[in-house]
Amino acid sequence: MLGLAARSVRQRPGRFLATLLSAFLGAAIIMTFNSMHDTAGASGVDKVSSDTLTTAASVVGGYGTLLVFFAVASTLTVNVRQRTEEIDLLRSTGATPAQIKRMVVGEAVVVALVGALLAIGPAMLGGRILLDVFKDSGQVADSVDPSFGPIALMSGIDVTVLAAAGAAFLAVRRATRAAAGGRRKPGRARTVASWAALAVGALAVCSTFAMKATDAALMAAPAYGAILLSVGFALVSTRLLRTVLGRVEPLVTALTGASGYLTVRNMRQRAAELSGVLMPLILFTGMATATLYMQAVENDAIKASGLTRSIEDKNLETLNFTVVGIIVVFACIMLINSLYAATSYRVREFGQQRLAGATPAQVLGTVAVEGVVLTVTGVFFGTLAALAGILPFTAVRTDGLLPGQGLGIWITVVAIATAATLVTSLATARRGVRVPAVEAVALAA
C-alpha cells in the first residue's frame, strides 16, 4: 500500500505541495528545539546552561507539536475534500473504505516522511543559530557546543508522521462515509475536545488570581489558559462561522446588495471547508496577542521595580518571543496553505459564475468579502481568548486591569492576519479568473 501511495504522490506531486510544506516546517521546528535536549545532555554542559536548554526544548517542543498537528490536519482535510469525486469513483469501482483509507493515509505518511527528511539539514542549522542566541543573551555558557542527536531526529520524524497519519485517517473517514451515502454525524469527539479545552483553559486563567505578583510561574497559567481557549474555539470553528454568518447576513446584504447575500449563503454552505482557514486565524490571533502583551506587561513591571533582570527573566522573554515567532510563521503558513488549496480548487466555480454573467471584478469582490468575514471572525474569537489571559495577568502583576501598551500590539497582529488572508485569497482567485471561463469549466469537470 505504501508503494501505491508513493506512486500516487510521484504522479501528482502538485496536489501534495501544501502538505509537504507543512510537514517540512513542522519537522524543522520540532527538530531545532529538541536538539537543545541533545545539547543539554552532552558531557561538560553546566547545570544553568542545561536547564535553559531543556526548558526551551520542552516548552517550544510542546507548542510545535500542537501546531504541526493543526497545520498538517488543515491542509490534509482540504486535500481530501477536494478528492470527493475521486473517492466516489473508487467506491463505485469496488474499492472498500478500508482500501481507500490505507491509500490516503499511506500518501500522507510518504509526504510527511519526505518533508521530515528534508528538514534535517535546516534543523541542524537552526539549532546552531538558536544556541548562539542563548549564548549572546548570557543564558548559556560560551563553551557549550551544539549537538544534533537521536532526540531531535526521532521526535521530528515521529511527530510529523503520526500527525499526518492521524489527520489523514480522520479526514478520509468522513469522506468515505459521505461517499457511501451515509449521514454525516456531528463531530462529537471534536465537540468534547473543544469543551474540554475551554474548561481547562478557563480553570487555568482563574488560577491566576490565586498566585502572587512575584511568583516565578505567574505568566504560565494565563498563557496556557489563553492558548487552550484558542484551541477550544478553533476546534468548533465550523459552528462559530455558521453562527457569525447568520448574524452578519443582514449587514453584509445591506452594504453589498445581492452579491453580498449570495456570498454569505455560499459561505454557509462551505463552512466546513472554510473552517480550515478560520482555525489558524484564531490560533494566531489568540496566541500571539496574549504572549506579546503579557511579556510587555512583565517587562514594564520589572523596569518599574528597579530590579535587575535575572537569567530566568531573560530566558522567559527569549522563549516567549521565540514562541510568538513560531506561531506567526506557522500560523501564516497554515493560513496560506489552506487558502491557496481552497481557492485554487474553485477555478470551475469561478468559471461557472462568469458564464452566468459575473465579471472577473465581481468574482474577486466575492472572494474579498469572504476574506473580510473570515478575518473578522478569526480575530474576534482569537482576541476573546487572548483577553481571557491578559486581563487576569495584568490585574495580578500590576494591580491594574488593562495593559498600558495600548492597541499597538493588537493592531499589528490584526494587520498581519488581514494581509495574509486577503493577499493570498485574492492573488489565488486572480490567477483562477485569468483562465477562460469555458476552459475552466471543461478542465475541472
Side-chain angles (χ1 to χ4, degrees), residues 47-125:
K47 187 177 185 306
V48 174
S49 299
S50 178
D51 290 344
T52 297
L53 296 172
T54 301
T55 301
S58 300
V59 173
V60 184
Y63 282 108
T65 301
L66 176 66
L67 291 172
V68 167
F69 181 80
F70 271 104
V72 175
S74 63
T75 53
L76 278 172
T77 299
V78 174
N79 180 284
V80 172
R81 282 175 180 154
Q82 292 175 353
R83 301 171 65 181
T84 302
E85 293 182 2
E86 178 184 341
I87 292 174
D88 289 342
L89 178 61
L90 290 173
R91 291 283 291 131
S92 64
T93 55
T96 65
Q99 289 174 326
I100 296 174
K101 289 175 185 176
R102 287 197 296 269
M103 181 190 72
V104 175
V105 172
E107 292 172 350
V109 168
V110 169
V111 173
L113 185 59
V114 171
L117 293 176
L118 291 175
I120 293 176
M124 296 176 68
L125 177 61

Side-chain angles (χ1 to χ4, degrees), residues 92-264:
S92 64
T93 55
T96 65
Q99 289 174 326
I100 296 174
K101 289 175 185 176
R102 287 197 296 269
M103 181 190 72
V104 175
V105 172
E107 292 172 350
V109 168
V110 169
V111 173
L113 185 59
V114 171
L117 293 176
L118 291 175
I120 293 176
M124 296 176 68
L125 177 61
R128 291 177 176 272
I129 295 174
L130 183 60
L131 182 62
D132 289 339
V133 170
F134 285 122
K135 288 181 178 180
D136 292 341
S137 62
Q139 301 168 72
V140 174
D142 292 336
S143 59
V144 176
D145 294 322
S147 177
F148 190 92
I151 298 178
L153 184 63
M154 297 310 299
S155 63
I157 293 176
D158 290 348
V159 169
T160 306
V161 170
L162 289 175
F169 177 79
L170 294 175
V172 75
R173 185 177 65 173
R174 291 192 295 266
T176 52
R177 184 179 297 163
R183 293 183 62 186
R184 185 175 178 181
K185 298 180 181 179
R188 184 176 301 174
R190 175 174 286 196
T191 302
V192 171
S194 171
W195 279 110
L198 291 173
V200 176
L203 289 174
V205 167
C206 292
S207 68
T208 307
F209 294 103
M211 305 175 72
K212 297 179 180 179
T214 55
D215 287 346
L218 176 62
M219 194 183 299
Y224 278 114
I227 291 168
L228 287 172
L229 291 173
S230 299
V231 171
F233 287 141
L235 287 173
V236 289
S237 54
T238 302
R239 296 182 183 180
L240 295 178
L241 181 58
R242 287 196 175 114
T243 301
V244 170
L245 290 172
R247 299 291 187 273
V248 303
E249 181 177 328
L251 176 62
V252 174
T253 303
L255 293 175
T256 60
S259 61
Y261 172 80
L262 294 175
T263 298
V264 173

Side-chain angles (χ1 to χ4, degrees), residues 241 244-245 248 252 260 263-264 267 274 278 281 366-379 421-422:
L241 181 58
V244 170
L245 290 172
V248 303
V252 174
T263 298
V264 173
M267 292 182 70
L274 293 173
L278 195 56
L281 272 171
T366 298
V367 174
V369 172
E370 291 179 359
V372 170
V373 173
L374 286 173
T375 302
V376 171
T377 304
V379 166
T421 303
L422 295 181

Side-chain angles (χ1 to χ4, degrees), residues 147-405:
S147 177
F148 190 92
I151 298 178
L153 184 63
M154 297 310 299
S155 63
I157 293 176
D158 290 348
V159 169
T160 306
V161 170
L162 289 175
F169 177 79
L170 294 175
V172 75
R173 185 177 65 173
R174 291 192 295 266
T176 52
R177 184 179 297 163
R183 293 183 62 186
R184 185 175 178 181
K185 298 180 181 179
R188 184 176 301 174
R190 175 174 286 196
T191 302
V192 171
S194 171
W195 279 110
L198 291 173
V200 176
L203 289 174
V205 167
C206 292
S207 68
T208 307
F209 294 103
M211 305 175 72
K212 297 179 180 179
T214 55
D215 287 346
L218 176 62
M219 194 183 299
Y224 278 114
I227 291 168
L228 287 172
L229 291 173
S230 299
V231 171
F233 287 141
L235 287 173
V236 289
S237 54
T238 302
R239 296 182 183 180
L240 295 178
L241 181 58
R242 287 196 175 114
T243 301
V244 170
L245 290 172
R247 299 291 187 273
V248 303
E249 181 177 328
L251 176 62
V252 174
T253 303
L255 293 175
T256 60
S259 61
Y261 172 80
L262 294 175
T263 298
V264 173
R265 287 289 176 176
N266 183 34
M267 292 182 70
R268 294 181 73 172
Q269 293 294 324
R270 298 171 50 242
E273 176 185 337
L274 293 173
S275 65
V277 178
L278 195 56
M279 273 188 185
L281 272 171
I282 295 174
L283 292 172
F284 166 65
T285 305
M287 293 182 179
T289 303
T291 306
L292 288 174
Y293 268 108
M294 282 190 276
Q295 184 59 56
V297 170
E298 177 67 18
N299 290 345
D300 288 348
I302 294 175
K303 184 178 180 180
S305 67
L307 299 176
T308 304
R309 298 178 65 194
S310 63
I311 292 295
E312 289 76 12
D313 294 330
K314 294 180 180 179
N315 192 14
L316 180 62
E317 182 179 19
T318 302
L319 284 177
N320 283 335
F321 285 135
T322 303
V323 167
V324 171
I326 292 173
I327 292 169
V328 169
V329 173
F330 221 87
C332 284
I333 292 297
M334 288 169 61
L335 182 61
I336 291 170
N337 279 350
S338 299
L339 277 169
Y340 178 81
T343 308
S344 62
Y345 184 67
R346 299 171 64 189
V347 173
R348 182 184 185 186
E349 177 190 336
F350 295 155
Q352 291 173 330
Q353 290 176 353
R354 289 157 61 200
L355 289 178
T359 65
Q362 289 173 326
V363 174
L364 293 177
T366 298
V367 174
V369 172
E370 291 179 359
V372 170
V373 173
L374 286 173
T375 302
V376 171
T377 304
V379 166
F380 176 76
F381 287 103
T383 302
L384 282 183
L387 285 174
I390 294 170
L391 297 182
F393 176 78
T394 305
V396 174
R397 190 69 177 90
T398 66
D399 293 329
L401 180 61
L402 296 175
Q405 288 70 31

Side-chain angles (χ1 to χ4, degrees), residues 340 344 347 350 364 425-435:
Y340 178 81
S344 62
V347 173
F350 295 155
L364 293 177
S425 58
L426 288 175
T428 309
R430 186 177 179 83
R431 289 180 57 187
V433 298
R434 286 179 178 175
V435 180

